[in-house]
Each structure stands twice: as C-alpha cells, then as structure tokens.
Amino acid sequence: DHRIVGGKSGQNERGATVMMQTIPYRLQVEPDLLDLLRQTCEIDHVEYIYIPTCTEGINCRSGASRNKGYCFIHFSVAATAQEFASRTHGHVFPCAPGEKRVINSMAKFQGLYTNLMNVLEIHAKKWRPKNGFAHIRTSQGDLVCVGLLELRNLVKRRAVLQGTRLAHWHAVTCS
C-alpha cells in the first residue's frame, strides 16, 4: 500500500499514537482490542495497531503465545486518540486475571510511518519481530492484518526499486 511504504518520516503524518501498557499477556487484537475500540471511539480513525509478541526463547514459556504487555495504536485524528486514552485508562480487561489496569500514554514516536519503520528496521536480529503482525488501514479503508515479515520484504523491494531508479536517473542526467 503506497500510503504505508511510499511515504517518508514526517510527510503527511497526522493524528496521534497511543501506547497502552500493562495489558494482559493473552490479549489479542481480535477480538479483545477491536471490541474495546468499537465501544470507546470511532474505529474508522484507527490506522495502525501493533502488539509486540515475545520472541521465541526470550521471556516466553515454550508453547505459550503471549504479548509483551503493551501495544501501540495510531489514530488519524488526535482528538480520537485522546478520547480513547482517557476512556480506557484504568480499564480492566475481562480476560485478565486479577486487577491489572491499563495505563495509557502518548507513544514516544508519533505517526504511522515512523512507528512502522521503527518496528521493521530493528537491526538486532535477537529483537526483530519474526512472526509478528500489525493491523493497518489500507487506502481502500479496510483494517487488515499484515505479517511483519511480508511488510518488511515489501519495504525492502520498494527501497531497492527506488534506489535502482535513482541510480538510473543519476547515470542519465550526469552523463
């Protein structure tokens, strides 16, 4: 999708990114987080959802699929992000054992492109998400689940194509 991989950091960025902390380790985007979003805000303003999952063999019990206890949600409208954050701060998910309450804050990095590139360009293989997923709104308006590996490959192909075009342009114009 051109909106995602064709942009540049800071270009056409709008909205705000919220970081939810102390979420239950078994929480999933579908149905848990999407249900909460539908109940508390305008879901059409959600452009990106990413819940980091534990890396195989690191902080993870074998065979147990779990997240790292936090997630990022980017909203196209900053007011919706603020409304969601205030409505869900202190929320207790029904799937959570005990009284684990959500803590919301504005993410350190803001913007759809910036957040995606931070996830996709992790250089240390030990920490790079291998089998992770992100939910991303396409230019057609659908919120779709995309594998990070496929998205990383798409970004790399685009970069190689753009580099090839730039080299060809440079060779033609500088000759």
Side-chain angles (χ1 to χ4, degrees):
D1 191 66
H2 179 72
R3 252 174 26 111
I4 297 165
V5 297
K8 289 192 173 131
S9 183
Q11 282 188 339
N12 300 320
E13 293 284 11
R14 64 190 202 291
T17 306
V18 172
M19 179 182 187
M20 294 181 78
Q21 300 171 63
T22 65
I23 63 173
Y25 293 123
R26 300 274 186 240
L27 183 100
Q28 297 178 2
V29 173
E30 297 181 64
D32 308 314
L33 197 49
L34 288 178
D35 286 347
L36 181 64
L37 285 161
R38 285 185 192 102
Q39 294 168 12
T40 57
C41 71
E42 180 60 50
I43 197 160
D44 289 341
H45 293 172
V46 175
E47 289 193 336
Y48 166 77
I49 302 170
Y50 174 59
I51 299 180
T53 55
C54 64
T55 305
E56 188 75 26
I58 299 174
N59 296 329
C60 189
R61 293 180 208 122
S62 61
S65 174
R66 59 175 256 196
N67 66 58
K68 292 185 177 184
Y70 60 94
C71 72
F72 300 94
I73 306 169
H74 181 76
F75 296 85
S76 59
V77 177
T80 304
Q82 291 169 347
E83 179 182 358
F84 173 78
S86 66
R87 283 184 170 185
T88 60
H89 191 81
H91 178 77
V92 177
F93 282 94
C95 65
E99 288 293 314
K100 198 172 191 181
R101 296 187 178 279
V102 171
I103 299 169
N104 292 325
S105 61
M106 298 309 287
K108 178 180 178 181
F109 299 106
Q110 291 291 313
L112 174 63
Y113 180 85
T114 302
N115 277 282
L116 275 173
M117 290 303 106
N118 280 335
V119 170
L120 297 177
E121 293 182 348
I122 295 174
H123 295 291
K125 286 186 180 184
K126 176 180 175 182
W127 301 112
R128 185 180 302 148
K130 295 175 186 156
N131 300 316
F133 296 92
H135 285 69
I136 302 168
R137 188 163 307 278
T138 66
S139 52
Q140 287 80 26
D142 301 318
L143 193 61
V144 298
C145 182
V146 179
L148 294 177
L149 183 60
E150 292 85 4
L151 193 56
R152 185 179 295 112
N153 291 338
L154 177 62
V155 169
K156 283 182 181 179
R157 279 195 305 270
R158 287 272 176 126
V160 168
L161 281 173
Q162 289 174 348
T164 303
R165 287 184 192 138
L166 182 61
H168 176 70
W169 175 81
H170 183 65
V172 169
T173 57
C174 294
S175 299

